[in-house]
């Protein structure tokens, strides 16, 4: 009898298995269930509950293949996925799996990281902390937020009155342009720096070692460690700008028209070092331009090791619509080290979204100018064009990248774009609302930064008077992003182990809600993709 029962069961199973698609089998099962009695359905349910539906495909694969598959997960999900099983935990805790994903942000040696690493953490926990930091930066989910007000009426011509370095903001109080104020974003410690000789400050710059302020033919430098003040007498009283790196600064002044203004541009430079108070003065002539150029703009910076000074010049030629990007690199004594030009015929099709300064060097690269394609397609996004300086190869490079949902047009009022490694931030605003956006250059996507809801308060919406020159500036580094407005500035912190001064507690609750919504959205997307696959 038992053999006959098995034969009968197999006779039912065989034609079911012969159905040539999942859809046909599903319809056959539905028809069978409709034909069953309630008692038979209850028995079927009990039998189904005894079946173990769990199947860990990852555990069955070779380790190297499992690594490649799991590396496709978003960073924030990699460490959540460790809870799936012991095998998943082994794979996702391996430095061989995680370190390639964070190498661009944290290149060896790991001691160079700007993150605060609590004592006693295991190597796996440190990797988790770094991955969480990268995910927060790339997706616009900062851990903490604070806002501050000041009396610095910033506009487009006064971006040099604000400076930032290593968690400290500095600014010139425009109600009293003879002093510089600073605020430590971590501790809330405030300082006021006043030159020994009362001068109107025209530009400031700072590093983690010193703060410099220039004006009226002088530059005052304060050692942030000791409080000592130094005064540098400058060769002329022209409008100076300052570049600072470590313990070295360069004061640059553009000289007046030459006999042949079309041929070259000249700058008067004074370099100074905090370590030995050594001063050098020299003139720099940029690369000669062609005749009939329409206009040019210049930028300059010290390299990260404070060993050389770099000048960049963008030259536009109206007669053929081309743009030339020049660079000149000199030693701190004025010796010419390198000079070259990068030509672009397509820059006229892009909207300039650069600011007046150069982004900080990161991983051997610095973004000098940034442009967005015009016209743009809201559905497919826009192409981003970056003019970068490669410090390792000592050359300018032009890079283009299509970014989904990126929309920057000349009719919109935006801040400059702030770049840090493979992420970028900018603010689009009108007189009533501001929208903070983040670009993930690794995934080539642009999205609303969820932490940006805090800029939609009346006191931090810029007062728009000039459509082309917004009163807005973005600054920052690996730890902080700072949005500077006319009435003050907002600060976001991307380090989970740093508590910033005067932080808004309600922001953390809002962030928690955003992260939960994000997880639910991802789950819905996976379920939807699974249904499509089954159909």
């Amino acid at each position: 009898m038992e053999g006959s029962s098995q034969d009968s069961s197999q006779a039912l199973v065989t034609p079911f298995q012969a159905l040539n698609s999942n859809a046909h089998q599903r319809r056959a099962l539905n028809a069978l269930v409709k034909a069953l009695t309630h008692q038979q359905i209850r028995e079927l349910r009990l039998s189904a509950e005894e079946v173990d539906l769990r199947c860990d495909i990852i555990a069955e694969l070779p380790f190297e293949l499992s690594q490649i598959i799991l590396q496709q997960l978003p960073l924030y999900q990699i460490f959540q996925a460790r809870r799936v099983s012991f095998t998943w935990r082994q794979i996702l805790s391996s430095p061989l799996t995680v370190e390639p994903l964070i190498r661009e942000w944290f290149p060896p040696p790991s001691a160079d990281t700007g993150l605060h690493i609590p004592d006693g953490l295991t190597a796996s926990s440190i990797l988790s902390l770094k991955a969480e930091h990268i995910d927060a930066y790339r997706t616009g989910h900062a851990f903490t937020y604070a806002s501050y007000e000041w009396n610095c009426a910033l506009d487009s011509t006064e971006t040099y009155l604000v400076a930032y370095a290593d968690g400290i903001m500095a600014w010139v109080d425009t109600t009293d342009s003879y002093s510089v104020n600073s605020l430590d974003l971590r501790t809330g410690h405030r300082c006021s720096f006043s030159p020994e000789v009362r001068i109107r400050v025209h530009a400031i710059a700072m590093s983690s070692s010193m703060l410099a302020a220039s004006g009226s033919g002088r530059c005052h430098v304060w050692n942030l460690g000791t409080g000592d003040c130094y005064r540098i007498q400058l060769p002329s009283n022209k409008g100076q700008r300052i570049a600072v790196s470590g313990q070295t600064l360069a004061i640059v002044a553009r000289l007046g028209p030459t006999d042949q203004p079309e041929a070259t541009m000249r700058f008067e430079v004074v370099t100074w070092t905090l370590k030995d108070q050594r001063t050098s003065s020299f003139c720099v002539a940029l690369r000669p331009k062609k005749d009939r150029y329409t206009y040019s703009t210049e930028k300059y910076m010290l390299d990260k090791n404070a060993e050389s000074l770099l000048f960049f010049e963008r030259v536009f030629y109206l007669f053929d619509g081309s743009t030339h990007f020049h660079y000149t690199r000199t030693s701190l004594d004025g010796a010419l080290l390198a000079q070259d030009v990068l030509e672009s015929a397509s820059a006229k099709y892009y909207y300039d979204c650069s600011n007046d300064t150069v982004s900080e060097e990161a991983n051997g690269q610095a973004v000098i100018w940034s442009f967005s394609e015009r016209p743009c397609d809201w559905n497919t996004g826009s192409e981003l064009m970056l003019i970068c300086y490669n410090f390792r190869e000592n050359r300018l490079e032009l890079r283009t990248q299509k970014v989904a949902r990126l929309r920057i047009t000349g009719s919109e009022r935006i801040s400059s774009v702030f770049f840090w490694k493979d992420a970028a931030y900018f603010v689009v605003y009108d007189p009533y609302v501001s929208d903070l956006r983040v670009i993930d250059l690794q995934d080539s996507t642009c999205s609303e930064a969820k932490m940006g809801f805090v800029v939609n308060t009346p006191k931090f919406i810029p007062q728009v008077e000039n459509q082309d020159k917004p009163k807005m500036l973005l600054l920052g580094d690996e730890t902080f992003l700072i949005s500077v407005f006319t009435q003050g500035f907002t600060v976001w912190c991307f380090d989970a182990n740093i508590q910033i001064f005067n932080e808004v507690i309600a922001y953390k609750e809002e962030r928690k809600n955003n992260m939960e919504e994000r997880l639910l959205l991802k789950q819905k997307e996976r379920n939807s993709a699974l249904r499509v696959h089954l159909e």
Side-chain angles (χ1 to χ4, degrees), residues 413-472:
R413 295 180 288 276
I414 71 164
S415 70
S416 56
V417 181
F418 170 77
F419 290 88
W420 184 262
K421 298 184 179 178
D422 58 9
Y425 283 85
F426 64 98
V427 180
V428 177
Y429 62 92
D430 61 33
Y432 305 102
V433 67
S434 296
D435 181 16
L436 181 66
R437 300 179 190 174
V438 57
I439 303 172
D440 186 337
L441 294 173
Q442 185 186 64
D443 293 340
S444 298
T445 58
C446 177
S447 59
E448 177 188 356
K450 292 299 183 181
M451 65 192 195
F453 71 93
V454 295
V455 302
N456 287 323
T457 55
K459 67 180 180 180
F460 289 120
I461 294 176
Q463 300 302 310
V464 181
E465 295 177 4
N466 187 323
Q467 298 280 348
D468 299 323
K469 297 183 178 295
K471 299 182 178 183
M472 183 179 290

Side-chain angles (χ1 to χ4, degrees), residues 12 34 40 44 110 159 169 179 184 205 313 316 377 383 437 486 529:
L12 293 173
K34 290 178 181 178
Q40 290 171 330
L44 180 62
S110 57
T159 56
M169 273 292 292
S179 64
D184 189 319
E313 185 178 23
F316 177 68
D377 188 324
E383 189 170 76
R437 300 179 190 174
T486 303

Side-chain angles (χ1 to χ4, degrees), residues 160-161 172 180 200-205 212-215 219 240-242:
Y160 295 103
L161 299 182
V172 178
V180 181
R200 183 176 294 276
V201 177
H202 296 295
I204 65 171
S214 69
C219 182
Q240 297 93 7
R241 297 292 180 259
I242 313 172

Side-chain angles (χ1 to χ4, degrees), residues 179-192:
S179 64
V180 181
N181 300 315
S182 72
L183 172 69
D184 189 319
L185 302 178
R186 298 178 180 89
T187 65
H189 179 66
R190 293 175 179 265
C191 289
S192 181

Side-chain angles (χ1 to χ4, degrees), residues 141-364:
H141 290 89
F143 294 101
T144 51
Y145 155 79
S147 65
Y148 308 91
E149 294 186 56
W150 59 14
N151 293 319
C152 181
L154 178 72
D155 66 25
S156 60
T157 64
E158 295 174 330
T159 56
Y160 295 103
L161 299 182
V162 180
Y164 166 82
D166 196 26
I168 299 178
M169 273 292 292
W171 65 93
V172 178
D173 187 341
T174 52
T175 62
D176 177 12
S177 299
Y178 304 99
S179 64
V180 181
N181 300 315
S182 72
L183 172 69
D184 189 319
L185 302 178
R186 298 178 180 89
T187 65
H189 179 66
R190 293 175 179 265
C191 289
S192 181
F193 302 90
S194 298
E196 296 174 355
V197 178
R198 188 172 174 83
I199 62 170
R200 183 176 294 276
V201 177
H202 296 295
I204 65 171
M206 69 183 305
S207 68
S208 57
S209 303
M210 60 182 175
L211 171 65
S214 69
S216 303
R218 300 180 182 88
C219 182
H220 287 76
V221 183
W222 292 272
N223 185 327
L224 297 180
T226 64
D228 294 337
C229 180
Y230 305 91
R231 187 174 71 179
I232 305 169
Q233 190 67 38
L234 303 177
S236 67
N237 194 25
K238 298 181 181 296
Q240 297 93 7
R241 297 292 180 259
I242 313 172
V244 177
S245 178
Q247 296 192 2
T248 302
L249 66 84
I251 305 107
V252 181
R254 182 174 177 175
L255 296 178
T258 61
D259 294 336
Q260 293 179 315
E262 296 83 3
T264 187
M265 186 66 67
R266 297 172 60 247
F267 290 88
E268 183 179 72
V269 181
V270 175
T271 60
W272 184 86
T273 56
L274 179 63
K275 182 178 180 179
D276 54 12
Q277 290 86 61
R278 179 173 175 266
T279 303
S280 295
S281 300
F282 53 90
C283 286
V284 173
L286 302 190
R287 183 183 176 89
K289 297 185 281 290
K290 296 179 182 179
D291 293 340
R292 295 185 296 163
Y293 76 95
T294 305
Y295 67 85
S296 67
T297 58
E298 306 88 27
K299 297 184 180 184
Y300 25 83
M301 68 178 298
L302 287 162
D303 66 48
K304 192 172 184 179
N305 297 321
E307 296 174 346
S308 62
L309 181 63
L310 293 113
F311 294 83
F312 304 99
E313 185 178 23
R314 177 165 64 112
V315 185
F316 177 68
Y317 295 92
L318 183 61
F319 69 90
D320 64 357
S322 66
T323 302
H324 293 190
F325 302 94
H326 299 210
Y327 85 89
T328 300
R329 190 170 189 171
T330 73
S331 70
L332 299 185
D333 294 323
L336 181 64
L337 301 178
Q339 200 169 50
D340 207 349
V341 62
L342 175 69
E343 298 184 10
S344 170
S346 59
K348 61 184 177 182
Y349 302 113
Y350 291 78
Y351 170 67
D352 184 4
C353 49
S354 312
N355 64 12
D356 295 333
T357 59
V358 178
S359 68
E360 185 176 340
E361 178 186 349
N363 295 343

Side-chain angles (χ1 to χ4, degrees), residues 485-499:
F485 295 92
T486 303
Q487 300 93 337
F489 60 98
T490 59
V491 178
W492 293 275
C493 180
F494 294 95
D495 192 324
N497 294 294
I498 288 181
Q499 184 176 2

